[in-house]
């Protein structure tokens, strides 16, 4: 059987999602009989323009060069999968889209902002090209990526559950940090996939997996208010890593509005 030709590409990102894959390098090696990595610079394979069966994309589109590159990449990839919050929803860099002048931020960070070439906003990959599968998380969960690779190698569409972190907590019998400890947990509106990593260790979820399929942000906003969070604090819960993801963006902006 022909091996699946796979590439991994970086756009505007911190590389954390690629590192999440490399953290399980033994798993990468075990794939060798089914998968050929054609481009994965962090693993030492460099051929970014090669046609592939599956292209994994990390990072958002933030520069004119990236807009051109993602369109070219799409032509060369039979299946395109986004990995992580940046690629799937725009990530933390999309926060600048909420500013009237994002360039002020650039000037605050870079000593010579005139040399930084940026699009007017940072967006998810799906803003520019069709995406076949979106995997969330900051970083993405490597088990989800490897599971997707296995499925695609077998010609099966990968599962991508849309239930909430709460559902995972219930399945794993985690103590609910919202009910038991009054923590402002985003689990009720956040997509599962991480194994409820934060609540499992007694910490509130901050929504790195983005919105679940059923989001009742009004109820969660009221719950956060009952815990003593003010409008700004509630807005920050939603306008974080996945600030540009539809239901989170709406809830965050609504929380900021004066009543
Ligand atoms: S989703 Fe998070 S870990 Fe992945 S590249 Fe973006 S900032 Fe880094
Ligand atoms: S519990 Fe929430 S913040 Fe923590 S890893 Fe999972 S989705 Fe991300």
């Amino acid at each position: 059987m022909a091996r699946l030709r796979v590439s991994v590409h970086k756009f505007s990102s911190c590389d954390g999602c690629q590192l999440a894959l490399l953290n399980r390098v033994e798993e990468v090696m075990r794939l060798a009989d089914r998968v050929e990595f054609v481009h994965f610079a962090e693993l030492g394979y460099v051929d970014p323009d090669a046609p592939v069966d599956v292209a994994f994309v990390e990072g958002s589109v933030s520069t004119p060069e990236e807009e051109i590159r993602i369109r070219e990449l799409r032509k060369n990839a039979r299946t395109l999968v986004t990995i992580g919050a940046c690629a799937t929803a725009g990530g933390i860099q999309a926060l600048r889209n909420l500013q009237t002048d994002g360039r002020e931020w650039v000037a605050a960070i870079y000593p010579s902002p005139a040399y930084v070439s940026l699009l007017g906003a940072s967006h998810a990959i799906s803003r520019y090209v069709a995406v076949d599968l979106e995997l969330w998380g900051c970083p993405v969960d490597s088990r989800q990526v490897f599971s997707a690779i296995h499925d695609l190698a077998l010609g099966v569409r990968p599962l991508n559950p849309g239930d909430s972190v709460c559902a995972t907590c219930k399945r794993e019998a985690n103590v609910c940090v919202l009910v038991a400890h009054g923590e402002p947990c985003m689990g009720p509106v956040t997509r599962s996939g991480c194994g409820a990593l934060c609540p499992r260790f007694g910490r509130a979820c901050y929504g790195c997996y983005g919105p679940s399929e059923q989001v009742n942000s009004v109820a969660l906003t009221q719950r956060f208010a009952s815990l003593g969070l003010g409008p700004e604090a509630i807005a920050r819960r939603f306008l974080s890593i996945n600030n540009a993801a539809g239901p989170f963006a709406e809830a965050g902006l609504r929380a900021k509005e004066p009543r």
Side-chain angles (χ1 to χ4, degrees), residues 165 190-191 194 196-199 203 205-209:
V165 170
T190 300
R191 176 176 284 265
C194 65
L197 186 59
C198 300
R203 200 175 69 177
C205 167
Y206 50 89
C208 86
Y209 263 68

Side-chain angles (χ1 to χ4, degrees), residues 8 18 22 28-29 37-47:
V8 181
Q18 293 182 76
L22 293 178
V28 174
M29 294 303 145
F37 280 103
V38 180
H39 174 77
F40 188 176
E42 291 214 10
L43 198 57
Y45 301 105
V46 181
D47 192 357

Side-chain angles (χ1 to χ4, degrees), residues 37 42 65 80 82 129 171 222 238:
F37 280 103
E42 291 214 10
E65 178 271 330
L80 191 150
T82 55
V129 295
R171 282 195 291 268
Q222 288 168 352
F238 288 100

Side-chain angles (χ1 to χ4, degrees), residues 3-9 35-40 45-57 69-70 72-81 132 152:
R3 290 193 296 170
L4 194 75
R5 287 168 60 82
V6 171
S7 59
V8 181
H9 300 262
V35 171
E36 176 189 3
F37 280 103
V38 180
H39 174 77
F40 188 176
Y45 301 105
V46 181
D47 192 357
D49 301 322
V52 290
D53 298 308
V54 186
F56 288 95
V57 178
R69 186 153 57 89
I70 192 64
E72 288 304 311
L73 172 53
R74 177 68 268 198
K75 286 183 206 160
N76 288 333
R78 201 153 52 84
T79 300
L80 191 150
V81 182
D132 300 295
L152 290 165

Side-chain angles (χ1 to χ4, degrees), residues 12-18 58-59 83-87 91-93 137-140 241:
S12 288
S13 61
C14 78
D15 284 37
C17 289
Q18 293 182 76
E58 173 200 81
I83 50 171
C86 294
I92 208 79
Q93 46 286 23
C138 180
V140 72
I241 292 165

